[in-house]
Amino acid sequence: MPFWPSPISTRDVAGSGVRPAWPTAAGGRVWWTEDRPDEGGRTTIVSGAADGTRRDLLPAPWSARTRVHEYGGRPYAVTPSGEVVFANLSDQRLYLLADNGEPKPLTDEGCRYADLLVHDGQVWCVREHHADDGKVTRAVVSIPLDGGEPRVWVTGCDFYASPAISPDGRHLAYVCWNHPRMPWDGTELRVTSLADPAAGSWTVRGGPTESVLAPSWKDDARLYLVSDASGWWNLYEIGLRGDGARALCPAEEEFAAPPWRLGGMPYTVLADGRLAVLHGRGDLRLAVLDPASGGLTDLDTPCTGWDAALAADGTSVIGVGYAATTPRSVLTVDTATGAHRPLMRDLTRLPDPAYLPVPRPVRMGEVHAFLYPPHAPATEGTPPYVIFVHGGPTAHADTALDLEKAFLTSRGVGVLDLNYGGSTGYGRAYRDRLKGQWGVVDVEDTVAAAEWLAAQGLADPARIAVRGGSAGGWTVMAACCRSDVFAGGVSYYGVSALGPLAAHTHDFESRYVEWLVGPEDPQVYAAREPLALVDGVTCPMLLLQGLDDPVVPPEQSSAFADALLERGVPCTYLSFEGESHGFRRTETRTAALAAELAFYQQIFG
């Protein structure tokens, strides 16, 4: 089958990954981060002003990126005077970036820092230390901006997030949790006295089965937080000692996203006391919430969804929004007038809108997905389709403009972006469908999606492929092992074996398999993991892997490739030096997408 001609090239897709993130706002200025695929994938910090001017604050080779939890998070904070503190990727030290652009080190090497905030002449953050014996410890610390030793305020738990200091400076709130839980399983919101550290910390809200996230202070005595106690991440107000908890806007909607990275805030307090919030199912919409009345008013913007990292400056809210035909953009929205203005766009040049697919939400039983039909001049015959399986697996597929999808749909290949059981955006019960069932529920939902495409007459049943990355790569491999409905599978840095993953992956996810599958059991593992089921694969596969990946070690992909080749199953394995978990360099992304297109041309021909 010859693909349709398309104006969207591999280079267009590879160069689209500027990925604006982590907005901060104060005094009419806005800061955010941008990735630079053409500069080795480094991350810079950008400052923008009300007049539309902007400038990069970090020249090459500096890169503002933290490796806490390996997935990182907000890598910088802004001081009251407008200086920037940031974590540098190469050495993970904190630096103070003065107005002259010369970074000054604040910390020694040996630790990692994330979730930064500046208060009272100090930067407060989560510190992560990796000992020579492999033991990882974390703490909430403060570091003087004028030099000096860090001070540890709380430690002893496995994980910390979201430090927040009360307006009077007397109390520190934070979120913590311990292995084997993940932050979307069970966390605690605790408070400690800064005026009397000997008084210790106390739990305000949360526990093993309640996910509490994103605390901020309403005043000196009360806090806002997000909790899924109702089965949905909703906003609450609560007293300093855990008294008088009150849901601000009870709804069967999510007001937060899973905190894979540290530093996100899904709401922010405006100058008049109202809250700019995100809410919805699947994509999160931007709205203003009156905490007194519970009134919720959506803001009219061109965006259908927003990243869960908002900032406020007076009555303006700043965030990263997106839509199916609108590039991911940093926008400022005036909540008083409704006026909105983009400060930057991920893409400066868009393809012809005729080549941009518009998703349609679909349901296959209880399973959610977004359908992207081939979007180009009509042709005869039933088209091929590729099912996209997101990573995580506690994550979700959104409706942001994605040139990877447009790259395929503009060539006559449809895309189904699947939110299988375990995905976020649809409440805790939907997330918990995957508990103990990884390799079962996700695989069944993926196979059912292929069968649904064929039964609906949308896809040629002989030309349906599946692709995914990380946990999505696991599902791709497992689905190809356990079903013959796929013409081929593409795995980016996917998991193929559970024992080695649990033994060698990073600390943040080192116990995740216990929730996803259960305690280590050779029989259960052998019934789930692709490497043990490889005899069931009958379709060609393409495996792509970064060689510096600390999350899913390269051996996961290479072992599966070797097993396929030993059985004579067509398999191409491509590895990339200098790439980690998620490809960042233009040349890598170009090569990977070119290989993927060639693979589809082969299996759909």
Side-chain angles (χ1 to χ4, degrees):
M1 182 205 82
F3 286 168
W4 300 337
S6 169
I8 303 172
S9 69
T10 56
R11 181 75 185 188
D12 291 333
V13 180
S16 66
V18 176
R19 303 178 187 176
W22 309 119
T24 299
R29 293 179 64 191
V30 178
W31 296 259
W32 64 88
T33 63
E34 292 181 11
D35 290 353
R36 296 294 162 81
D38 289 337
E39 298 178 28
R42 75 180 190 94
T43 302
T44 188
I45 302 170
V46 179
S47 174
D51 62 3
T53 59
R54 47 170 288 178
R55 66 188 180 99
D56 287 4
L57 301 183
L58 284 183
W62 296 96
S63 182
R65 193 165 136 217
T66 172
R67 290 186 58 191
V68 171
H69 295 181
E70 295 300 349
Y71 293 110
R74 182 183 296 273
Y76 77 99
V78 179
T79 72
S81 63
E83 295 181 317
V84 172
V85 179
F86 72 97
N88 184 49
L89 175 61
S90 63
D91 57 13
Q92 289 298 290
R93 298 171 74 181
L94 288 183
Y95 289 81
L96 179 65
L97 183 64
D99 283 339
N100 63 7
E102 199 61 40
K104 169 190 171 184
L106 295 178
T107 61
D108 296 329
E109 292 190 50
C111 291
R112 306 174 183 182
Y113 306 87
D115 232 346
L116 281 60
L117 68 92
V118 175
H119 173 78
D120 194 25
Q122 301 179 91
V123 56
W124 299 68
C125 56
V126 175
R127 183 182 71 182
E128 180 179 277
H129 178 255
H130 293 247
D132 291 340
D133 62 1
K135 182 176 176 59
V136 182
T137 56
R138 298 177 181 87
V140 177
V141 304
S142 62
I143 302 160
L145 291 174
D146 58 1
E149 290 297 314
R151 176 172 180 177
V152 174
W153 291 95
V154 291
T155 191
C157 291
D158 292 328
F159 301 97
Y160 292 93
S162 305
I165 299 171
S166 60
D168 61 8
R170 295 178 60 84
H171 293 99
L172 168 71
Y174 58 92
V175 171
C176 59
W177 68 98
N178 289 306
H179 282 307
R181 296 191 297 273
M182 300 295 282
W184 42 85
D185 299 327
T187 62
E188 294 179 35
L189 167 58
R190 292 184 183 176
V191 169
T192 192
S193 172
L194 299 179
D196 182 16
S201 300
W202 59 90
T203 299
V204 175
R205 182 77 188 238
T209 59
E210 180 183 3
S211 173
V212 178
L213 308 172
S216 68
W217 291 88
K218 177 183 180 181
D219 52 39
D220 294 334
R222 298 189 68 77
L223 299 109
Y224 295 122
L225 60 92
V226 175
S227 166
D228 71 351
S230 69
W232 298 83
W233 272 316
N234 280 190
L235 273 161
Y236 292 79
E237 179 185 319
I238 197 168
L240 176 64
R241 295 282 176 175
D243 54 296
R246 179 175 68 91
L248 300 183
C249 183
E252 290 189 348
E253 292 186 336
E254 303 283 45
F255 285 72
W260 280 98
R261 299 190 292 171
L262 295 178
M265 280 296 288
Y267 67 95
T268 186
V269 182
L270 301 168
D272 59 9
R274 296 179 303 161
L275 306 179
V277 304
L278 300 177
H279 72 106
R281 295 191 181 193
D283 289 328
L284 300 180
R285 304 185 302 279
L286 181 64
V288 173
L289 172 64
D290 183 341
S293 68
L296 187 67
T297 305
D298 283 345
L299 294 170
D300 184 14
T301 75
C303 300
T304 58
W306 295 76
D307 291 352
L310 298 178
D313 188 10
T315 61
S316 292
V317 58
I318 297 89
V320 177
Y322 57 80
T325 56
T326 300
R328 198 174 292 269
S329 308
V330 180
L331 288 97
T332 177
V333 182
D334 189 323
T335 60
T337 66
H340 50 80
R341 180 169 56 89
L343 301 178
M344 71 80 61
R345 296 173 185 257
D346 192 7
L347 292 170
T348 56
R349 184 178 63 86
L350 280 176
D352 184 331
Y355 291 92
L356 296 179
V358 177
R360 175 164 62 93
V362 295
R363 291 280 297 271
M364 296 155 286
E366 64 180 320
V367 181
H368 301 266
F370 294 108
L371 183 73
Y372 296 81
H375 200 74
T379 188
E380 295 181 3
T382 307
Y385 259 78
V386 178
I387 297 174
F388 279 41
V389 185
H390 66 71
T394 310
H396 73 278
D398 61 34
T399 59
L401 188 154
D402 181 355
L403 287 190
E404 281 191 343
K405 297 186 181 75
F407 180 81
L408 294 175
T409 59
S410 64
R411 285 170 166 79
V413 180
V415 170
L416 183 76
D417 210 359
L418 183 65
N419 275 316
Y420 51 86
S423 302
T424 55
Y426 306 98
R428 177 140 190 167
Y430 196 75
R431 296 202 311 269
D432 284 350
R433 282 190 62 217
L434 201 61
K435 185 175 184 179
Q437 296 298 307
W438 195 36
V440 178
V441 165
D442 54 320
V443 170
E444 290 175 349
D445 288 355
T446 304
V447 172
E451 293 171 341
W452 179 86
L453 284 170
Q456 295 292 313
L458 297 169
D460 180 345
R463 295 187 295 166
I464 300 175
V466 59
R467 63 99 80 175
S470 189
W474 152 281
T475 303
V476 166
M477 289 186 277
C480 291
C481 288
R482 298 176 60 175
S483 174
D484 60 1
V485 302
F486 300 107
V490 179
S491 168
Y492 282 77
Y493 32 85
V495 176
S496 68
L498 295 171
L501 177 73
H504 299 295
T505 194
H506 59 128
D507 183 62
F508 178 60
E509 290 185 280
S510 61
R511 305 282 297 277
Y512 195 18
V513 171
E514 292 182 29
W515 188 93
L516 290 168
V517 179
E520 185 169 357
D521 182 321
Q523 289 185 322
V524 173
Y525 279 18
R528 301 282 185 86
E529 60 188 17
L531 193 58
L533 302 172
V534 69
D535 286 351
V537 179
T538 58
C539 64
M541 299 201 70
L542 170 64
L543 309 180
L544 305 106
Q545 177 71 49
L547 293 179
D548 295 342
D549 192 337
V551 178
V552 178
E555 293 76 17
Q556 292 279 328
S557 292
S558 62
F560 194 73
D562 290 343
L564 289 175
L565 293 173
E566 286 177 7
R567 295 185 56 254
V569 177
C571 175
T572 299
Y573 172 61
L574 299 178
S575 60
F576 299 92
E577 292 278 359
E579 289 288 3
S580 181
H581 199 66
F583 299 159
R584 288 177 170 267
R585 300 174 178 176
T586 298
E587 57 270 28
T588 302
R589 299 178 69 198
T590 300
L593 190 58
E596 193 173 349
L597 179 63
F599 179 76
Y600 295 140
Q601 288 173 322
Q602 179 184 21
I603 65 172
F604 292 154

